[in-house]
Amino acid sequence: MVRAVASLRAASLALAALLAAGGLAAAESVPTSKASRELVRRVLLDACVYQESAKEEPDADAADKDKAKAANALSAKQQKIVDACQCASTRAMKPVKDEDVTKVDETRQVPDAWYAATTEAYAGCRR
């Protein structure tokens, strides 16, 4: 009985290893997506939102205030940041040529100048 359980366990471990190896091989064959203007704009948008949200200081008195009002104020601030970053990322992508987007597809790196352009455009997009 012990021998049967041991061999059953060994067989199940071997099967699990085969399935895992097959899953890894399938994951490696998934092609990467091509970079497009919209994809690059979204990368710039994400970076902008994270950067600008990090600059916002949390309200120290939020624990003392009405929690619902504090949550609504925070949500409104975050929505303004997202809206301004949408504007900034769109403005930063306007002068970018399609050939430059193709280079991003090849290198998988967004140029730092594009991030800087988004940051500069953010100031003009805030309301």
Side-chain angles (χ1 to χ4, degrees), residues 80-93:
K80 285 183 181 182
I81 290 172
V82 170
D83 290 343
C85 285
Q86 286 274 8
C87 168
S89 62
T90 301
R91 284 185 183 180
M93 284 302 294

Side-chain angles (χ1 to χ4, degrees), residues 31-109:
T32 58
S33 63
K34 291 194 98 28
S36 66
R37 292 183 74 80
E38 180 62 16
L39 184 63
V40 173
R41 187 194 67 80
R42 288 182 182 188
V43 168
L44 295 175
L45 169 67
D46 287 346
C48 177
V49 169
Y50 286 122
Q51 177 181 350
E52 297 303 325
S53 293
K55 291 179 184 176
E56 292 291 321
E57 300 218 6
D59 190 2
D61 298 328
D64 299 336
K65 294 181 182 177
D66 183 24
K67 298 241 186 222
K69 286 183 182 179
N72 286 339
L74 179 62
S75 179
K77 279 182 185 178
Q78 290 173 343
Q79 188 58 48
K80 285 183 181 182
I81 290 172
V82 170
D83 290 343
C85 285
Q86 286 274 8
C87 168
S89 62
T90 301
R91 284 185 183 180
M93 284 302 294
K94 280 186 182 179
V96 174
K97 298 176 184 169
D98 289 337
E99 298 85 34
D100 296 332
V101 174
T102 304
K103 289 178 187 174
V104 169
D105 188 41
E106 294 168 0
T107 63
R108 294 290 188 205
Q109 294 290 324

